Amino acid sequence: MKRPTIADVARRAGVSKGAVSYALNGQPGVSEATRQRILAIAAEIGFSPSSAARALSGATARAIGLILARPAQTLGIEPFFMELISGVEAELSARSYALTLQVVTDATAEIAVYRRWWGERRVDGVLVCDLRTDDQRVPVLEELRLPAVVIGGPAGTGRLASVWSNDAAALVETVEYLYALGHRRMARVAGLPDLLHTTIRTQAFTEVCQRLGLTESVVASTDYTGEEGARATRRLLSSRIRPTAIIYDNDVMAIAGLSVAQEMGLTVPADLSIVAWDDSPLCRLVHPPLTAVGRDIPAYGAHAARQLLQLIEGAPATDLQDEQAHLTPRGSTGPPGGDQ
């Protein structure tokens, strides 16, 4: 797909290239109505004067982009993204590349930013997080031919390169560990249900519970926040058939769940075993320390950044299966007490 030019804007607006230049640079020579129409068309097709200058010079941006469609206030308490970005930055700084980070409200806004970055040559490539089922971002990035690496997979990435970890195997390992301890009533507090990795974990949880005959297992969906994690935990622990073990999709929700259990007079792990996902330092700072599923997240980010830089340099798009997350038992899990 060809990057937009000043001639493209002029043709769509039905004016001369000079009129487009006047409008974009805020100079007199066009009416206000024409100026606004030209600005709207330029924004729609992703053209800006800076894109033309960079195209003529042949310069690269020496930057890669990362867009997160998450509430900005949640990022400060989400250890996964902070550790991922630290790994990306370590790889980029060694190559004198910058990271351009933007937070948006949804996938539609994210696609608009991709188109603008591409049109303005703002970045040389992008990292894509939070892969969704039938993700609308994938075909857009394929159309733009903007170098991109999806952090997630292995399915749903189209022709884009990806770095992924086997979440299904890690989830099965966790359930089998809890089963070996004697747990027969398990629950999972999951993240956003439209994310592909959530779907993969849910499917793995459902299948392993069926294989082990755990007919009373349940899944509760949340938005990854501590508030939602606490709310889901309270509902599960107040139900008629109370689970004796809960697996959480991130550290923040697991810590919130631990607080709810203690608030309700339950002892961890005698009355309830808790497993967190991602295994940030937070898991070792609470009492009891949390059993967790984890991997080297900074290395995961560094591998994704390295793969993207190789794409920018002309290497073919390939998929990389990264290290599988593994379970680290700590004080929050043990054999269930009382009647199973």
Side-chain angles (χ1 to χ4, degrees):
M1 185 176 177
K2 185 173 71 69
R3 280 186 168 84
T5 65
I6 195 169
D8 295 327
V9 179
R11 185 169 54 254
R12 293 187 60 163
V15 299
S16 68
K17 289 191 288 185
V20 173
S21 179
Y22 293 149
L24 293 177
N25 292 299
Q27 297 175 344
V30 292
S31 69
E32 186 57 29
T34 299
R35 186 189 311 278
Q36 293 304 319
R37 187 170 82 254
I38 290 171
L39 292 174
I41 291 170
E44 179 186 342
I45 68 174
F47 175 82
S48 77
S50 59
S51 69
R54 270 193 284 267
L56 288 172
S57 68
T60 59
R62 301 293 295 179
I64 70 166
L66 173 61
I67 304 173
L68 299 176
R70 297 262 185 126
Q73 64 269 25
T74 67
L75 298 180
I77 60 170
E78 178 53 76
F80 173 83
F81 281 116
M82 295 302 101
E83 293 188 40
L84 184 78
I85 289 171
S86 74
V88 170
E89 283 281 19
E91 187 68 25
L92 295 183
S93 62
R95 301 281 296 277
S96 299
Y97 267 75
L99 175 65
T100 300
L101 175 66
Q102 185 155 346
V103 178
V104 296
T105 54
D106 54 32
T108 300
E110 185 172 341
I111 288 171
V113 175
Y114 287 140
R115 291 190 181 279
R116 189 178 78 248
W117 281 354
W118 171 81
E120 297 176 356
R121 295 181 182 260
R122 186 69 60 83
V123 298
D124 299 319
V126 293
L127 295 172
V128 182
C129 289
D130 287 341
L131 188 65
R132 293 168 172 80
T133 306
D134 298 322
D135 200 309
Q136 59 182 310
R137 299 170 298 173
V138 171
V140 170
L141 289 168
E142 289 176 334
E143 172 196 1
L144 295 176
R145 297 186 181 179
L146 180 63
V149 171
V150 178
I151 300 176
T157 60
R159 298 192 302 275
L160 304 182
S162 69
V163 175
W164 63 282
S165 180
N166 192 339
D167 279 3
L171 198 289
V172 170
E173 177 189 0
T174 302
V175 172
E176 289 179 340
Y177 163 73
L178 293 170
Y179 183 86
L181 286 176
H183 294 278
R184 299 297 180 266
R185 296 197 301 270
M186 300 185 203
R188 177 167 161 266
V189 176
L192 295 163
D194 63 328
L195 298 184
L196 185 61
H197 73 261
T198 303
T199 302
I200 290 171
R201 293 179 190 179
T202 299
Q203 183 176 352
F205 180 75
T206 301
E207 290 175 355
V208 70
C209 287
Q210 288 176 345
R211 173 167 60 81
L212 296 174
L214 306 179
T215 57
E216 295 173 333
S217 61
V218 294
V219 175
S221 295
T222 70
D223 63 358
Y224 283 116
T225 64
E227 291 79 7
E228 279 294 301
R231 193 171 294 116
T233 303
R234 202 168 283 111
R235 286 197 301 267
L236 289 168
L237 297 182
S238 300
S239 63
R240 184 177 60 85
I241 303 176
R242 178 173 62 81
T244 61
I246 303 178
I247 304 168
Y248 293 84
D249 258 12
N250 71 2
D251 297 348
V252 173
M253 293 195 298
I255 292 170
L258 174 64
S259 296
V260 168
Q262 293 169 342
E263 163 197 313
M264 296 179 70
L266 300 177
T267 301
V268 176
D271 299 318
L272 176 70
S273 283
I274 289 177
V275 179
W277 203 288
D278 290 333
D279 199 13
S280 75
L282 294 176
C283 291
R284 296 179 287 280
L285 295 177
V286 295
H287 181 76
L290 297 181
T291 294
V293 180
R295 60 176 179 270
D296 189 339
I297 297 172
Y300 194 44
H303 297 161
R306 188 177 309 145
Q307 191 175 20
L308 179 55
L309 292 175
Q310 291 171 352
L311 276 178
I312 292 168
E313 293 169 355
T318 57
D319 295 335
L320 171 65
Q321 182 174 354
D322 208 77
E323 169 198 7
Q324 179 184 314
H326 290 289
L327 186 73
T328 300
R330 297 192 184 97
S332 68
T333 50
D339 182 24
Q340 270 284 293

